[in-house]
Amino acid sequence: VSEDRVLTVGRVTFPSRILTRETSTSPHSPDFGLVMGHGLAEKSHDSDEWTALAVPAVVQSQLPLSSITYYTARGHGETSGWEALCDADPDQFMWPRLAEDMIGIADAMGYEQCVVGGESMGSSTAFFTALHHPERVKAVIMMRPPTAWETRAYQRDHLEKKAKQFE
């Protein structure tokens, strides 16, 4: 079963899609779910084909997931509530804050424990979520993690050029 919903974490609203298991043939726990983030160049959770690739494998896994939650990251798509903080709080787009958003989505869904994952930016967000909340995160799915170290300068230039296309 698929349902579109807007979840609120603090002052920020996050458009989300919730996929709930339809069958009770596999054991699942209502307080255990998967939270998936998208890549930086994606406008929302709806446009990330990489994240969609993970769902069949997760659904077939033996994990007792009750649902899978895709959400649109802060500053992307139709998210709101973060705009007023841009000048006063530029750190809201750093990994630790994005990780707090991800665990906040888990809280909003009632997940006491979760698997977190994503593609590119979503995978780094998941990684930081696991680092900051190891008692709650049971596994991490990382697809195409962002570049680091020497290759980061090239990637930054590439992303800045793409961003100018949207101005």
Side-chain angles (χ1 to χ4, degrees):
V1 177
S2 177
E3 172 191 358
D4 288 335
R5 195 183 308 172
V6 175
L7 301 174
T8 302
V9 177
R11 296 180 181 163
V12 181
T13 61
F14 298 90
S16 304
R17 175 158 296 144
I18 318 301
L19 303 176
T20 306
R21 286 193 178 205
E22 295 178 320
T23 177
S24 60
T25 58
S26 62
H28 63 274
S29 171
D31 58 356
F32 188 77
L34 168 64
V35 179
M36 293 292 288
H38 60 80
L40 178 64
E42 303 299 331
K43 293 180 184 176
S44 74
H45 65 280
D46 282 334
S47 59
D48 189 347
E49 60 194 47
W50 287 95
T51 301
L53 290 174
V55 173
V58 172
V59 168
Q60 293 176 3
S61 75
Q62 296 301 312
L63 294 171
L65 299 173
S66 62
S67 61
I68 299 169
T69 304
Y70 295 98
Y71 73 100
T72 301
R74 170 188 299 260
H76 292 75
E78 299 295 318
T79 59
S80 63
W82 55 269
E83 307 93 323
L85 304 173
C86 281
D87 292 333
D89 186 13
D91 287 346
Q92 69 176 312
F93 297 104
M94 303 299 276
W95 299 124
R97 184 70 61 81
L98 297 175
E100 290 308 309
D101 290 344
M102 186 172 267
I103 205 69
I105 295 294
D107 291 341
M109 289 300 298
Y111 303 154
E112 290 182 23
Q113 296 183 327
C114 56
V115 174
V116 294
E119 180 262 335
S120 191
M121 178 185 77
S123 69
S124 285
T125 301
F127 178 75
F128 272 79
T129 303
L131 283 176
H132 291 272
H133 300 280
E135 72 287 354
R136 298 199 45 206
V137 176
K138 298 304 167 195
V140 178
I141 300 169
M142 295 182 73
M143 296 176 291
R144 295 185 341 119
T147 60
W149 302 287
E150 294 84 15
T151 60
R152 193 70 189 159
Y154 166 78
Q155 186 66 12
R156 182 179 57 242
D157 291 341
H158 173 71
L159 291 173
E160 286 176 357
K161 287 176 186 171
K162 285 186 82 170
K164 288 179 182 180
Q165 293 174 353
F166 293 104
E167 292 179 346

